[in-house]
């Protein structure tokens, strides 16, 4: 008797719940053995189908449980947000992830976020906004002829009559100086005045009707006291501190009874919205003390008087051909040192805000015409080399990049060199000296 035959029969008997598990004394014929194997395969297939059916059923139950849990989660909602006085609330769905929006009536200004989102914690994002009467219409404070710019820097550039020209990159504009602008790195700290107790606390306005009393306060005050008979001034500067979203002033906030007031540093005017600051152009408004030999450069919050002088070199002499450009006099035949000196030197002055984001394009140098077969651009020197980089941006153009932010106040220089070659022989060098005046403020 072959033992595997008995083993196959034992498997069949066990699957058939046969009580007999002993091996027969003699092996059955071959066809009986094959029939037994076929029955074993059928039984295994039945068990496998039953297992897969159970698995599918379990998956359906898990999916149903997950869907019911998500339905319960989605049905959760935040408490109904309050509608600000003198304003409106837009949005009727308060479930998680939904938004509500706030508007104020004409003549009132929204203080706080315009949009709040229902968070997973079932709380609304941000602070409850309020509508305050708009008392900051200060258009009469701005001179009609004042040119307000939103560029992050201004440039004093030379004439473009040379063989190559350079231009300030206008793409490097700052974040807007509008009333809603927000700069998280402002160098000024918020301050709040301490109004006298007589002006910061006043009695409430109460009305009595049918045995009930209702007390209200003026705008800018909150009701308090044991019997709601006292109105206390709201410190808006403390409620919306500097450096926080929804803050009131870009520079300095001073609390006043029932309101607040924004102030700007020297060299700035309060903008039309009454919250942001606009740079005063002292050069354009003739508010500087520069001499006739100097050039006035407007900076953010001030101005600089600069004097452009041609350099003195041992083997080369220069002559001033424009207020911002010096050109080398012709060299003697065979004077290698003179030939190696720059053919021309241009001076440019840029005004930028503090902590301006990087990388950023500051300046472009272009060749109007090319005599040789190669044009190279690079940094020749200057203070603050770690902040700058020069890269090729076109066939005849090089770009000066700010690669790391600069904390103001600071003055930095970068020298951009353009070399023209013919078969690796130098035909000429052109130097552009760029001076950056970095403001102490970020606006």
């Amino acid at each position: 008797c072959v033992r595997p035959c008995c083993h196959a029969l034992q498997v069949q008997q066990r699957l058939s719940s046969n009580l007999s598990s002993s091996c027969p004394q003699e092996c059955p014929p071959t066809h009986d053995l094959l029939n037994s194997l076929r029955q074993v395969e059928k039984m295994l297939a039945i068990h496998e189908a039953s297992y897969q059916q159970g698995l599918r059923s379990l998956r359906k139950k898990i999916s149903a449980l997950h869907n019911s849990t998500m339905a319960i989660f989605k049905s959760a909602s935040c408490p109904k947000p309050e509608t600000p006085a003198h304003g409106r609330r837009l949005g009727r769905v308060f479930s998680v992830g939904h938004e509500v929006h706030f508007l104020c009536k004409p003549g009132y200004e929204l203080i706080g976020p315009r949009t709040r989102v229902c968070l997973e914690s079932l709380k609304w994002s941000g602070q409850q906004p309020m509508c305050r009467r708009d008392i900051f219409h200060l258009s009469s404070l701005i001179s009609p002829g004042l040119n307000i710019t939103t560029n992050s820097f201004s440039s004093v550039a030379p004439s473009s009559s040379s063989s190559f020209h350079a231009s300030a990159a206008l793409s490097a504009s700052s974040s807007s100086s509008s009333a809603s602008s927000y700069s998280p790195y402002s160098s000024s700290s918020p301050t709040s005045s301490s109004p006298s107790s007589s002006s910061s606390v006043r009695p409430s306005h109460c009305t009595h009707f049918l045995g009930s009393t209702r007390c209200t306060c003026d705008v800018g005050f909150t009701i308090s006291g044991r019997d709601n008979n006292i109105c206390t001034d709201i410190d808006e500067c403390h409620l919306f501190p500097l450096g926080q979203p929804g803050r009131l002033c870009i520079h300095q906030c001073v609390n006043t009874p029932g309101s607040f007031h924004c102030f700007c540093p020297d060299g700035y005017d309060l903008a039309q919205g009454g919250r942001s600051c606009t740079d005063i152009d002292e050069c354009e408004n003739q508010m500087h003390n520069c001499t006739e030999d100097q050039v006035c450069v407007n900076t953010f919050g001030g101005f600089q008087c600069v004097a452009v002088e041609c350099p003195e070199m041992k083997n080369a002499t220069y002559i001033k051909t424009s207020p911002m450009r010096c050109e080398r006099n012709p060299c003697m035949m065979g004077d290698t040192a003179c030939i190696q000196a720059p053919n021309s030197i241009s001076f440019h002055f840029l005004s930028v805000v503090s902590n301006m984001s990087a990388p950023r394009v500051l300046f472009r140098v272009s060749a109007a015409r090319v005599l040789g077969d190669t044009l190279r651009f690079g940094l020749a020197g200057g203070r603050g080399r770690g902040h700058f980089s020069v890269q090729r941006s076109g066939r005849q153009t090089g770009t000066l990049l700010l690669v790391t932010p600069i904390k103001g106040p600071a003055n930095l220089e970068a020298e951009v060199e353009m070399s023209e070659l013919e078969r690796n022989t130098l035909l000429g060098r052109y130097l552009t000296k760029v001076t950056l005046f970095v403001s102490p403020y970020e606006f």
Side-chain angles (χ1 to χ4, degrees):
C1 178
V2 183
R3 300 301 298 177
C5 301
C6 295
H7 180 70
L9 289 175
Q10 287 177 349
V11 171
Q12 177 187 5
Q13 291 169 356
R14 290 194 184 105
L15 292 176
S16 304
S17 301
N18 194 331
L19 295 176
S20 175
S21 60
S22 61
C23 180
Q25 297 299 322
E26 294 181 0
C27 287
T30 304
H31 69 275
D32 292 341
L33 180 60
L34 293 176
N35 291 334
S36 299
L37 290 176
R38 292 190 187 98
Q39 292 179 9
V40 170
E41 291 177 355
K42 290 180 180 180
M43 291 179 183
L44 290 176
I46 292 173
H47 282 281
E48 182 181 6
S50 176
Y51 172 77
Q52 291 180 351
Q53 180 64 29
L55 185 60
R56 284 194 294 268
S57 177
L58 181 61
R59 286 176 178 173
K60 289 181 179 180
K61 292 180 180 179
I62 294 176
S63 177
L65 180 62
H66 179 266
N67 293 337
S68 62
T69 304
M70 291 301 296
I72 295 174
F73 176 76
K74 290 181 179 178
S75 63
S77 60
C78 293
K80 184 178 180 180
E82 298 181 6
T83 301
H86 310 291
R88 297 172 54 195
R89 184 194 70 238
L90 304 179
R92 298 180 180 179
V93 181
F94 310 139
S95 302
V96 175
H98 285 264
E99 299 178 350
V100 292
H101 308 273
F102 300 91
L103 298 175
C104 290
K105 296 179 180 179
Y108 290 85
E109 187 177 21
L110 186 68
I111 306 299
R114 294 185 178 274
T115 301
R116 301 183 74 186
V117 182
C118 181
L119 305 177
E120 294 182 0
S121 59
L122 301 184
K123 294 182 180 180
W124 292 102
S125 64
Q127 298 174 335
Q128 176 64 28
M130 63 181 70
C131 292
R132 182 66 49 82
R133 187 176 295 277
D134 187 6
I135 60 173
F136 294 99
H137 187 69
L138 302 178
S139 58
S140 60
L141 297 180
I142 300 180
S143 172
L146 181 62
N147 181 23
I148 301 175
T149 178
T150 59
N151 287 342
S152 65
F153 60 83
S154 58
S155 169
V156 177
S159 170
S160 60
S161 60
S162 59
S163 61
F164 74 99
H165 62 276
S167 60
L170 298 179
S171 62
S173 58
S174 70
S175 59
S176 172
S177 61
S178 64
S180 62
S181 63
Y182 165 58
S183 175
Y185 308 100
S186 178
S187 58
S188 173
S189 299
T191 60
S192 175
S193 65
S194 300
S196 62
S197 59
S198 60
S199 59
S200 61
V201 178
R202 59 183 63 172
S204 61
H205 309 289
C206 297
T207 57
H208 306 276
F209 182 72
L210 297 178
S212 63
T213 302
R214 178 178 175 83
C215 299
T216 60
C217 295
D218 294 333
V219 176
F221 289 81
T222 182
I223 199 163
S224 60
R226 182 175 181 179
D227 299 322
N228 293 335
N229 59 344
I230 296 176
C231 293
T232 306
D233 172 56
I234 299 174
D235 190 342
E236 293 86 357
C237 300
H238 178 74
L239 185 62
F240 300 98
L242 189 68
Q244 298 294 328
R247 65 195 177 94
L248 299 180
C249 303
I250 196 173
H251 179 65
Q252 185 179 17
C253 178
V254 175
N255 185 56
T256 59
S259 186
F260 64 95
H261 192 72
C262 297
F263 288 91
C264 296
D266 293 338
Y268 290 86
D269 276 336
L270 199 64
Q272 185 173 353
R275 298 182 183 180
S276 59
C277 301
T278 302
D279 175 59
I280 299 173
D281 193 335
E282 293 85 357
C283 299
E284 183 178 346
N285 297 332
Q286 300 298 318
M287 300 169 59
H288 61 87
N289 56 358
C290 300
T291 64
E292 295 182 357
D293 298 333
Q294 296 175 323
V295 177
C296 179
V297 179
N298 182 63
T299 62
F300 287 94
F303 65 94
Q304 293 280 345
C305 297
V306 298
V308 176
E309 297 181 355
C310 296
E312 294 183 0
M313 296 186 181
K314 182 177 180 181
N315 296 315
T317 59
Y318 290 85
I319 185 172
K320 207 173 194 180
T321 56
S322 70
M324 296 289 177
R325 182 178 176 84
C326 297
E327 294 191 11
R328 189 191 67 196
N329 286 320
C331 298
M332 298 293 292
M333 184 68 68
D335 193 342
T336 305
C338 178
I339 295 175
Q340 293 291 331
N343 296 51
S344 66
I345 303 175
S346 300
F347 300 85
H348 295 261
F349 304 92
L350 306 181
S351 299
V352 299
V353 297
S354 179
N355 270 333
M356 189 168 59
S357 61
R360 182 182 293 260
V361 175
L362 291 178
F363 207 81
R364 291 188 177 91
V365 178
S366 300
R369 54 184 177 83
V370 180
L371 300 179
D373 55 18
T374 305
L375 208 58
R376 295 177 182 173
F377 297 90
L379 274 178
R383 299 191 304 272
R385 288 176 59 94
H387 292 283
F388 305 109
S389 175
V390 173
Q391 69 178 20
R392 191 70 168 265
S393 56
R395 182 176 177 272
Q396 299 178 198
T397 305
T399 302
L400 175 64
L401 296 175
L402 176 69
V403 293
T404 58
I406 305 173
K407 177 70 175 178
N411 293 343
L412 299 177
E413 291 181 355
E415 296 182 358
V416 182
E417 182 181 78
M418 182 176 68
S419 301
E420 191 175 13
L421 302 94
E422 175 70 32
R423 296 180 181 179
N424 294 328
T425 300
L426 181 66
L427 299 182
R429 295 174 57 226
Y430 306 92
L431 198 63
T432 301
K433 293 190 175 185
V434 181
T435 302
L436 261 68
F437 296 118
V438 187
S439 167
Y441 310 106
E442 299 188 7
F443 51 86

